[in-house]
Every structure is written in C-alpha cells, then in structure tokens.
C-alpha cells in the first residue's frame, strides 16, 4: 500500500473509517489499520484535529502571527530556543523559517490583550530574542486546505455599462 496516498486521504478527511479508506486505496482494511498504527507509532502521524472556522463560533478567539528574530550564541541553537517556545500552550504553530526573521509563531488567546501580553511578557524576554513583530489575524478564508466562510457565492448583481 502506498503510504503517501494514505496520508493524502487523511489530510483531506481524517474522520473516514478504515473501511472507507481501504476501499479508496484498493487495499485490505486490516492492511490500512496496520499502516495507520505504524505511522502513528513512528511519529509520522502526530494527531488528528478539526479545522475550526472561528468566525462561526460565538466565543472570542484571537490569533496572531508573530515574527521572531533571535541572536544565537555558542551554547544556544535554534532547537533549544524552539523547545522553550513550544512549551507555551498559547503557541499553536512554531516554525523556523528563511527570510527576514528566524521563527514564525502562531499564537492563540481569548483576546487581543491576552495575546499581546503573552508576546511581550513570555516571548520577548527570552534572552536570545532580539525582535518580535505581531500581526493579528483579522479574518481567515482558508485553513489547512479548507475554504472557510458561509460558502455562498457572491450574490451581487453585475454592473454593465
């Protein structure tokens, strides 16, 4: 069985049953179950999550994308800094990136104030951090390959000259 095809199916919809996945792959359900278990045991599959359209939820939920610059020394590398930052529950995503800054962090909180305080009180004081730039997410149109919103097409009338 092609594990890449299995992973592609899971990324599209991880809620499908093993039987449905096996049918789509033309494989035996027991082989699919064994492959899933192996991928989980090997740490390839780290978890299964729902993609949430926070605009459709009544509760306040704020996300920010934070650019972080660091200055490394002889004793401290990117991995150590990443381990420290990843421990915070407010950090949803943490990536080492190329370009104008070193780390990309997606932070989640209950309010803009909570997110702002987290960045200024927990991230910025890390000794190796030299600069942070916070971008609050105002709206999301697509998450993890899934389009968000009500799905209605634009119902405005076209204007013709």
């Amino acid at each position: 069985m092609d594990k890449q095809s299995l992973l592609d199916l899971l990324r599209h919809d991880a809620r499908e049953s093993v039987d449905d996945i096996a049918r789509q792959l033309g494989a035996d359900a027991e082989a699919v179950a064994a492959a899933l278990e192996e991928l989980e045991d090997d740490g390839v599959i780290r978890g299964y999550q729902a993609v949430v359209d926070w605009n459709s939820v009544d509760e306040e939920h704020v996300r920010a994308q934070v650019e972080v610059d660091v200055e490394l020394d002889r004793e401290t590398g990117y991995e150590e800094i990443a381990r420290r930052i990843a421990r915070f529950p407010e950090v949803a995503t943490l990536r080492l990136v190329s370009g104008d800054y070193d780390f990309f962090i997606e932070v989640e909180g209950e309010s803009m104030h909570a997110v702002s305080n987290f960045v200024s009180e927990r991230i910025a004081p890390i000794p190796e951090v030299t600069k942070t730039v916070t971008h609050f997410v105002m709206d999301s149109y697509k998450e993890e390959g899934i389009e968000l919103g009500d799905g209605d097409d634009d119902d405005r009338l076209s204007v013709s000259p």
Side-chain angles (χ1 to χ4, degrees), residues 68-88 91 93-96 102-105 118 122-132:
V68 178
D69 284 331
V70 299
E71 185 173 314
L72 303 178
D73 56 37
R74 290 179 188 255
E75 293 84 34
T76 308
Y78 290 120
E79 292 291 325
E80 183 179 331
I81 297 167
R83 275 194 297 279
R84 280 188 266 160
I85 293 172
R87 288 187 182 123
F88 294 115
V91 174
T93 301
L94 171 61
R95 293 186 173 107
L96 178 65
D102 300 304
F103 287 103
F104 165 87
I105 305 174
F118 170 74
R122 307 295 249 154
I123 300 298
I126 294 173
E128 295 82 9
V129 171
T130 59
K131 179 181 173 185
T132 64

Side-chain angles (χ1 to χ4, degrees), residues 37-83:
E37 186 174 345
E38 181 182 335
L39 290 166
E40 291 168 355
D41 290 345
D42 291 346
V44 174
I45 296 175
R46 299 290 180 119
Y48 302 88
Q49 295 182 339
V51 175
V52 178
D53 184 351
W54 289 107
N55 291 329
S56 299
V57 177
D58 290 336
E59 296 176 26
E60 183 76 14
H61 185 85
V62 175
R63 289 183 302 161
Q65 297 174 341
V66 183
E67 302 171 6
V68 178
D69 284 331
V70 299
E71 185 173 314
L72 303 178
D73 56 37
R74 290 179 188 255
E75 293 84 34
T76 308
Y78 290 120
E79 292 291 325
E80 183 179 331
I81 297 167
R83 275 194 297 279

Side-chain angles (χ1 to χ4, degrees), residues 2-5 12 14 39 48 54 77 81 94 100 104 108 114 119 121-122 134 140 150 156:
D2 178 24
K3 289 185 180 178
Q4 183 62 48
S5 296
H12 177 71
L39 290 166
Y48 302 88
W54 289 107
I81 297 167
L94 171 61
D100 293 336
F104 165 87
E108 297 184 354
V119 173
E121 294 174 7
R122 307 295 249 154
T134 303
S140 292
D150 58 14
R156 294 179 289 177

